[in-house]
Amino acid sequence: MRTVFVSHNDLGLACLEELHNLGADIPAIITRPRDESVADQTTFDGIAARTVADVHEVESVNTDAVVDQLRAYDPELLYVVGWSRLVEQRVLDIPSVAALGMHPAPLPRGRGRAPIAWNLIKGLDETALSMFHLVEAADAGDLVAQQPIDIDIRDDAASLYEKVVAAGRSLIRQTYPEFERGAVPRTPQDETEATWWPKRTPDQGGIDWRQPPGTVYDWIRGQSHPYPGAFSYLDGRKVTVWAAAPPDGERVFCQPGELLGREGERLRVGAWEGAIDLLRVQVADDEERPAAELLDYEWAGVGDVFESVRATGSDRP
């Protein structure tokens, strides 16, 4: 089937590879110009060479020029994966069979932005990758299929994203043969079950140490690489926390944010009636390092206290 693919991330790349393996005719790949501020951007040069596809770098698929290009390819399937921008109806009307998207949440729950982060921040133990028919409203189209994804207590943003990529491969292998046979699955989403996850920005990563240790842990792992990271301030210096260990459940009565001591490369920090072991930190623009090395700075010591940031509105888990 003639298939045009719109994406800029590893999930899209994995799906393209599977489509190629299944024999799809891929005349064109639409992607974004290189932008260092996009955390999950990847290159499609390799798959483009294997598929002999044209590659177009665009900021939007909704311009007249891009719409004309898409129509010229006369696609049967159009995939828009990881694009994070709404697509106009005139684009969705171009493919003769289906315009399809993917979203790493168990739709209709979790529509919106930053689903990898929110899955972890909310402490979910399972999510899903949803394939759905695109409509002009975000993540609201009829479902094609869903691939469940288990979330382990030790998963962070990077490891969960790897699971999402694997789920994308599985969904393509499951659904593309159905499209070739002429089946076009559609299951309407239950609007009464829909929830919305808001966009996240780097400045929203402040850690509220007054939360229970489990909540702090989920907050940290949900914003780890490739995202900007959860952070706190100590002696006026920004400290980004890249990794922590799952809390052990021990009750600790201390001041939230208090530096309690080191054990090997770990740094124990107080939270609400408990503590959490930090594993990797970064001070300002210094290199990332084992968390216990924070105590090697002359301005940091046991008994010092991280500032807490009260999460409000869209920041709240």
Side-chain angles (χ1 to χ4, degrees), residues 279-283 286-294 297:
L279 302 179
R280 305 287 300 178
V281 299
Q282 180 180 4
V283 178
D286 290 352
E287 292 185 358
E288 186 178 331
R289 64 188 64 220
E293 293 184 12
L294 187 64
Y297 288 95

Side-chain angles (χ1 to χ4, degrees), residues 279-310:
L279 302 179
R280 305 287 300 178
V281 299
Q282 180 180 4
V283 178
D285 294 325
D286 290 352
E287 292 185 358
E288 186 178 331
R289 64 188 64 220
E293 293 184 12
L294 187 64
L295 295 177
D296 295 337
Y297 288 95
E298 63 180 14
W299 44 265
V302 172
D304 290 341
V305 179
F306 277 116
E307 297 177 20
S308 283
V309 176
R310 178 72 68 185

Side-chain angles (χ1 to χ4, degrees), residues 18-165:
E18 292 299 327
L19 286 166
H20 176 58
N21 293 340
L22 292 167
D25 173 15
I26 306 170
I29 300 168
I30 312 296
T31 189
R32 293 180 60 182
R34 187 65 191 171
D35 184 347
E36 296 300 328
S37 68
V38 178
D40 60 348
Q41 190 169 12
T42 193
T43 177
F44 291 87
D45 293 345
I47 188 64
R50 296 198 297 276
T51 59
V52 198
D54 299 331
V55 178
H56 303 282
E57 294 186 349
V58 305
E59 292 291 349
S60 171
V61 297
N62 295 323
T63 66
D64 291 343
V66 175
V67 169
D68 288 342
Q69 282 181 331
L70 291 172
R71 286 178 177 149
Y73 288 113
D74 191 25
E76 294 167 277
L77 297 175
L78 173 67
Y79 288 86
V80 182
V81 176
W83 196 244
S84 299
R85 299 178 181 186
L86 293 179
V87 179
E88 293 178 356
Q89 189 62 47
R90 61 175 179 160
V91 176
L92 303 181
D93 290 338
I94 291 173
S96 59
V97 175
L100 303 163
M102 289 185 178
H103 187 68
L107 296 176
R109 182 182 183 186
R111 295 176 182 176
R113 305 293 291 275
I116 298 289
W118 284 118
N119 276 307
L120 294 166
I121 289 171
K122 290 176 175 293
L124 303 184
D125 56 15
E126 184 181 63
T127 186
L129 180 62
S130 302
M131 179 185 289
F132 59 97
H133 293 268
L134 289 168
V135 295
E136 283 192 301
D139 309 320
D142 294 346
L143 293 172
V144 175
Q146 286 185 325
Q147 181 68 36
I149 300 172
D150 290 332
I151 302 177
D152 185 80
I153 188 62
R154 295 189 179 275
D155 275 328
D156 59 10
S159 64
L160 180 55
Y161 189 63
E162 289 177 1
K163 292 182 178 182
V164 167
V165 170

Side-chain angles (χ1 to χ4, degrees), residues 17-24 169 172-174 176-177 180:
E17 290 173 343
E18 292 299 327
L19 286 166
H20 176 58
N21 293 340
L22 292 167
R169 292 185 181 276
I172 292 294
R173 292 193 297 266
Q174 172 188 339
Y176 179 75
E180 282 205 316

Side-chain angles (χ1 to χ4, degrees), residues 262-267 278-280 289-294:
R262 67 198 303 167
E263 182 176 344
E265 295 187 336
R266 298 185 175 203
L267 174 63
L278 309 188
L279 302 179
R280 305 287 300 178
R289 64 188 64 220
E293 293 184 12
L294 187 64

